[in-house]
Amino acid sequence: MGRSVRLGVVACATVLLTVTGCGESGPTAAQAGETLKTHITELMRQRHALDVQVTDPGGRDIACGEGRAKRTFAAVGRDADTKREANSLNTLLLGTLSGVADYHIVEDRGDAPLKLANDEYKTRMTLESSGNGQYAVTGETECLPTS
């Protein structure tokens, strides 16, 4: 590669960084909130949960300071087998979630709620089913820019 071509590449990269900024890239709080809503809704749909109810519709910024906010969303539903216990229900949700989006476990204390995260979309979910066939999923985004 000639010197002039290399200088041109460096100049283009510099312009690109200047235009896009060197700061954060990724979703805004509103974008991540919509993604979270889609993930939880699709999880319940693919799990074939019955009587799904949204317990936290989200849709509003929760200030984190410095022009950043997070969003939340939560839903509950019922499994066809009302005798399934909490761990079994959470395991079923986790298996189904792999077909929705790539979440990884960030905290698993056995019979406590199962905490998950998706680094790409900046979202977190907690699978906190209570047993007796009752699914429960809560979620929130990371603290993200509002615009």
Side-chain angles (χ1 to χ4, degrees), residues 51-131:
D51 304 323
V52 174
Q53 296 175 17
V54 173
T55 56
D56 176 1
R60 62 180 173 79
D61 287 345
I62 300 168
C64 299
E66 299 181 15
R68 301 168 72 79
K70 65 181 178 178
R71 298 247 175 142
T72 59
F73 187 83
V76 296
R78 187 174 52 80
D79 189 81
D81 182 354
T82 60
K83 294 180 179 148
R84 287 199 178 145
E85 297 193 14
N87 283 342
S88 297
L89 294 167
N90 287 339
T91 300
L92 289 170
L93 286 170
L94 181 61
T96 302
L97 185 59
S98 66
V100 174
D102 186 24
Y103 280 79
H104 61 276
I105 297 171
V106 293
E107 186 178 315
D108 180 5
R109 296 184 179 174
D111 58 352
L114 187 59
K115 296 182 185 264
L116 312 166
N118 179 295
D119 298 328
E120 177 183 1
Y121 298 111
K122 311 294 185 202
T123 54
R124 304 204 180 288
M125 269 189 218
T126 302
L127 308 180
E128 50 190 355
S129 302
S130 62

Side-chain angles (χ1 to χ4, degrees), residues 2 31 46 49 52 57 69 102 147:
Q31 291 166 332
Q46 286 192 25
V52 174
D102 186 24
S147 58

